Amino acid sequence: MGAHAARSPQAPHAEARDLRDTAHAAQVRELTAAGVLEDPAWRAAFAAVPRHVFVPYFFTGRGAGHERLWGEDPDPAHRARWLRGVYTDAPLATRLRDGELVSSSSQPSLMAKMLESLDVRDGDEVLEIGTGTGYTAALLSHRLGEEHVTTIDLDEEITESARAHLALLGLRPTVVTGDGARGCPSRAPFDRILVTCTLPLIPHAWLGQCRPGARILAPLSTGLIALTVRDAGFAEGRFLHTSAYFVPLRGATASQTAPGMPYGLPYELVENERFQFMLVLTAGALHPREALDLWRGEGRPGRERFGVTVSAQGQWSWLDDPQGPYVWPLGE
């Protein structure tokens, strides 16, 4: 045999696997160091569930300039870019339709914050609204057991793809194709509902599918509302401090869209996330100048000072106190 022995056919595959494993382990270390994986159970879930299995390809760029990066690209430089992207702490566009984003893989650090804020306990039944790639369902399945996890999405292509990704890890939570705004009554009651798409309102159907004391964590405006369900007719809670941007919910409650930033406001507010959050939350109830005066007068409040009440009579957002002077109807 010559001086340079030929590598076995398995060698390139082993090298690729090692690179993926190394990148995966590095991301778990980074999330832990950032303080978003404080719970050992969730740290173990992120360590056990590799993101690359759920993102075999993703898109970069905008408009007509989208580029598809995938893990089986014959060009090693493109494969390296794919792997770096998968294990970067960033959301990834995974499905486009007519140039519009319809599904994505959420930012891992945000998902870690959301999962820890969901405050699950062993034996909890969890419904995820917005299946996406199946990555979050996999994390939930590792933490709670697949038999306690239901995930629903409107798009059959998305749910079929998620099932395939989950099966690669031997996971089979209940994956349902349907309108998430209507919940999943056949699998109710739930102890937790986790939503991974932006809402204009909280669908009332969810409350009726929850046990008393259940927790709903959902993107609303540009924040995350954490609601405690009292019964089928009432839920209330506050926003977390963190920002959150997701693909909008499609289905029964998807007719409303958030307003853009109006013209004529001071320049420094155009990029101010906290003011944008309040402006969207009070849209239809306050004129932009009224919102600006209130925001300044109240010391430029952050998201965590706002809350939402859902009842049979309607839905309201509020500042500091649901019985206080600053209460606005949602969705007007």
Side-chain angles (χ1 to χ4, degrees), residues 36-194:
V36 296
L37 284 179
E38 295 182 356
D39 185 335
W42 284 120
R43 193 156 57 245
F46 273 80
V49 178
R51 193 186 189 198
H52 67 263
V53 170
F54 296 88
V55 190
Y57 62 87
F58 64 90
F59 298 92
T60 64
R62 294 185 178 185
H66 282 108
E67 179 186 10
R68 183 176 182 266
L69 295 175
W70 61 303
E72 300 300 322
D73 195 301
D75 186 331
H78 289 176
R79 290 198 304 273
R81 287 179 59 204
W82 164 79
L83 185 60
R84 285 195 302 272
V86 166
Y87 285 108
T88 297
D89 185 30
L92 299 174
T94 56
R95 194 170 293 271
L96 303 174
R97 187 166 295 148
D98 299 325
E100 294 295 323
L101 178 65
V102 296
S103 186
S104 64
S105 177
S106 301
Q107 183 178 10
S109 61
L110 178 58
M111 289 315 307
K113 292 176 186 176
M114 291 178 70
L115 289 168
E116 292 211 343
S117 298
L118 197 60
D119 193 26
V120 297
R121 299 161 296 186
D122 292 346
D124 277 351
E125 296 292 332
V126 177
L127 172 64
E128 179 194 20
I129 308 292
T131 302
T133 65
Y135 180 52
T136 305
L139 293 166
L140 286 164
S141 296
H142 186 276
R143 170 66 180 84
L144 296 169
E146 60 188 22
E147 68 275 15
H148 296 296
V149 178
T150 302
T151 181
I152 185 169
D153 202 286
L154 188 65
D155 194 318
E156 187 172 7
E157 290 183 5
I158 290 175
T159 52
E160 286 299 317
S161 178
R163 283 192 192 96
H165 296 157
L166 288 157
L168 290 173
L169 296 182
L171 296 172
R172 289 174 175 78
T174 300
V175 181
V176 178
T177 303
D179 185 353
R182 304 183 191 282
C184 188
S186 64
R187 292 280 293 172
F190 299 104
D191 301 287
R192 299 288 186 270
I193 295 181
L194 178 67

Side-chain angles (χ1 to χ4, degrees), residues 220-276:
L220 188 68
S221 179
T222 62
L224 292 168
I225 188 67
L227 296 169
T228 299
V229 178
R230 186 184 70 189
D231 52 42
F234 187 87
E236 191 169 80
R238 290 182 178 272
F239 283 88
L240 306 185
H241 74 278
T242 187
S243 60
Y245 299 87
F246 285 88
V247 175
L249 174 71
R250 294 178 295 150
T253 67
S255 60
Q256 298 170 346
T257 57
M261 181 64 72
Y263 292 105
L265 288 174
Y267 176 77
E268 68 271 15
L269 295 180
V270 174
E271 298 299 326
N272 191 301
E273 281 195 337
R274 291 192 301 175
F275 178 67
Q276 290 182 23

Side-chain angles (χ1 to χ4, degrees), residues 297-322:
E298 288 297 317
R300 293 170 168 78
R303 290 175 174 83
E304 64 277 7
R305 286 180 58 187
F306 292 87
V308 166
T309 300
V310 180
S311 77
Q313 288 70 47
Q315 301 190 25
W316 297 270
S317 61
W318 38 266
L319 175 66
D320 292 332
D321 183 351

